[in-house]
Amino acid sequence: MKPETLAIHAGNLYETNTKDVTAPINLSTTFLRDENGGYSGGHMYSRVSNPNRTALEKVLAELEKGVDACAFSSGNTAGMTLFQALKPGSHIIAPDDMYWGFKKQLQTIFADTLEIDFVDLTDTDNLHNFIKKNTVLIWIETPSNPLLKITDISAVAKIAKQHGLTLACDSTFASPSLQNPIALGADIVMHSSTKYIGGHSDVLGGVLVTAAHNELWEKIRNIQQIGGAVPSPFDCFLLVRSIKTLSYRMQGHSSNGMALAKYLDQHPAVDAVYYPGLSQHPQHEIAKKQMSSFGGVLSILVKGGAEDAVRVVNKVKLFAQATSLGGVESLIEHRASVEGPDTKTPQNLIRISAGLEHIDDLIADLDQALS
C-alpha cells in the first residue's frame, strides 16, 4: 500500500464487538489472564503494552519502512532511551548543531558515561577522522534544528556499515511522509511525534523505529517497558488519529514553507534564509535526492541583532510566538532566547514553522512585522 493508505489503515489493528470504524481508547491498566495463566488478548499490563500503543507503533513502523517501533512519552525520552542502551564508555559522533535538548542530555546526563564528539556531519569526507575504537553510534539530524543543514544519509550509512557502527537519524523535521532514512541505510529513525506526526500542538510523544530486530533493539524495548516512560492510551489514540492526515498535511506545510522561503529570500530586511528547498541552499541537491519535499520549517537571519529579531517576533499578529513546530497553526520564535546563554544559534535568527493557513495571510503578516 502507498503511504497515504497505510497512514489511514495500518493503525486499525483489531475489530471490536461494537464494530467501531475508529479504534476506541483502551484505558485499562491491566488485562485478564486465561485459565492457563496466559494473556489471550495479547496484553498484560499497560506499561508493557496497550492496544492503542501497539496500533501507533505498527503504523509508524510501516510508514518508516522498519520492522518495529517503540513509542515514548516525549521525543527527548525516545532519544535518551537509545543513549541509555549504549554501554558505558561508548563513543558517539553527533552533529555540531544537534537539537539543543539532545545535546544538553549528552553533556549533562551522560557526561560521565558516554564520550561524545560534535562534528559537522555535512562534511562526510571528514567523518572517518572522528571514528575511534570505542565508537558505536553515529547520530545524524536532517534537516537540522534550527539551521536546516542536510546530511547525506546514504553516504553516512555507507561509512557506518564499513566500521560496524549504528546509524540513528533524527528525522523529525521531515516526518515519515517526506523522508525514510531506513530506506537510505539508517538503522534507527527517531521522531518527536509532538511535531508533524501529532500535527495539532496537543499531544507530547516520541518514537524510535528500527530496521532490524537485534541486541540493541532488545535493550531499547526493555528500557521502554521496564523504565515505563510511555505515552498514555489517549496520547496514542490522538497520534494514530493525526497520522491519518499526515501525508496531506505535509503537502500543505511544504507548499507554504517553500512560498515563505522564496518571499523572505527577496525581502530587504532579511540577510539569509535557511531552507533546503531553495536552490542556493548548500545541500539542496542532497535534499532533493533523499526528500520528496522540503517541509514547513525555515529559519531566517534578520538584518541587525537580537533586538531586531525580537522586535519582529513581537510584531506578528497571525503567527503564534511559541516554541515547537509542525502544528496546523504557524509558529515563530527567536530561537537563541529559547536555547539559553550557551546557545550557538545566531542571535538574529528567527525560526518559522509554516502552518496550514492561506499563504497570502502568512506573507502579509510577516511583511508588516518586518517593515
Side-chain angles (χ1 to χ4, degrees):
M1 289 188 288
K2 300 296 185 182
E4 293 85 351
T5 309
L6 283 173
I8 292 171
H9 291 288
N12 294 338
L13 273 184
Y14 53 90
E15 184 177 290
T16 66
N17 291 334
T18 50
K19 307 300 182 184
D20 306 68
V21 172
T22 298
I25 305 171
N26 291 268
L27 294 177
S28 181
T29 57
T30 190
F31 300 86
L32 290 171
R33 301 177 75 172
D34 59 32
E35 63 272 14
N36 298 315
Y39 295 91
S40 57
H43 302 281
M44 176 188 74
Y45 189 67
S46 200
R47 170 172 46 76
V48 177
S49 67
N50 166 277
N52 294 106
R53 192 163 90 237
T54 300
L56 174 62
E57 291 173 346
K58 176 178 172 58
V59 67
L60 286 170
E62 293 206 25
L63 286 175
E64 276 295 5
K65 307 183 188 303
V67 300
D68 201 3
C70 282
F72 297 90
S73 55
S74 72
N76 271 22
T77 303
M80 186 168 69
T81 297
L82 175 54
F83 303 145
Q84 285 177 311
L86 304 178
K87 293 179 180 179
S90 295
H91 174 241
I92 298 173
I93 297 172
D96 57 354
D97 64 334
M98 188 181 204
Y99 163 60
W100 74 278
F102 287 141
K103 192 169 189 176
K104 195 172 184 68
Q105 279 187 25
L106 293 174
Q107 292 176 327
T108 57
I109 298 172
F110 297 98
D112 297 326
T113 55
L114 298 176
E115 184 182 344
I116 309 105
D117 276 318
F118 296 104
V119 178
D120 179 6
L121 288 173
T122 64
D123 183 5
T124 53
D125 292 337
N126 196 37
L127 182 54
H128 293 280
N129 297 325
F130 294 92
I131 296 174
K132 306 176 182 181
K133 289 184 178 179
N134 61 331
T135 305
V136 297
L137 174 71
I138 302 175
W139 176 283
I140 62 177
E141 180 183 326
T142 183
S144 74
N145 180 10
L147 298 179
L148 282 298
K149 288 184 180 180
I150 300 296
T151 299
D152 190 327
I153 300 171
S154 296
V156 178
K158 184 177 180 181
I159 294 169
K161 283 176 172 54
Q162 286 174 355
H163 294 271
L165 309 178
T166 296
L167 173 60
C169 178
D170 180 347
S171 191
T172 297
F173 273 27
S175 89
S177 290
L178 304 186
Q179 179 173 274
N180 296 125
I182 286 174
L184 296 168
D187 300 294
I188 292 176
V189 181
M190 176 267 162
H191 290 280
S192 170
S193 49
T194 310
K195 310 306 192 293
Y196 284 119
I197 290 171
H200 296 77
S201 304
D202 58 6
V203 59
L204 195 68
V207 63
L208 296 175
V209 181
T210 184
H213 287 110
N214 51 31
E215 182 182 357
L216 177 60
W217 187 250
E218 291 307 312
K219 289 181 179 179
I220 288 169
R221 178 65 81 180
N222 183 62
I223 294 169
Q224 181 213 35
Q225 294 180 340
I226 305 304
V230 294
S232 72
F234 185 52
D235 289 345
C236 295
F237 170 86
L238 288 175
L239 289 170
V240 170
R241 172 218 61 180
S242 295
I243 287 169
K244 294 176 189 294
T245 60
L246 177 62
S247 293
Y248 296 98
R249 285 188 285 108
M250 293 311 298
Q251 292 175 27
H253 288 299
S254 296
S255 175
N256 279 353
M258 178 67 86
L260 286 180
K262 289 180 175 179
Y263 159 74
L264 291 165
D265 187 51
Q266 303 298 320
H267 200 285
V270 175
D271 265 341
V273 177
Y274 300 140
Y275 185 71
L278 294 178
S279 60
Q280 67 266 31
H281 187 285
Q283 294 97 40
H284 175 64
E285 291 303 317
I286 297 171
K288 281 174 58 180
K289 180 181 71 172
Q290 65 190 28
M291 300 179 73
S292 60
S293 194
F294 306 106
V297 181
L298 59 150
S299 292
I300 62 172
L301 299 181
V302 298
K303 292 186 183 297
E307 290 183 1
D308 300 279
V310 170
R311 178 186 58 79
V312 172
V313 299
N314 283 333
K315 280 186 67 179
V316 291
K317 294 180 171 62
L318 183 60
F319 285 79
Q321 186 185 166
T323 197
S324 198
L325 58 104
V328 294
E329 63 287 308
S330 292
L331 303 178
I332 193 168
E333 69 177 351
H334 176 240
R335 188 65 195 165
S337 62
V338 174
E339 296 179 357
D342 297 329
T343 181
K344 304 297 183 185
T345 297
Q347 289 295 322
N348 61 334
L349 184 141
I350 294 173
R351 193 184 73 183
I352 297 169
S353 174
L356 300 181
E357 302 93 342
H358 195 285
I359 187 59
D360 292 349
D361 296 322
L362 296 179
I363 288 175
D365 193 26
L366 286 177
D367 189 57
Q368 64 83 23
L370 287 163
S371 63

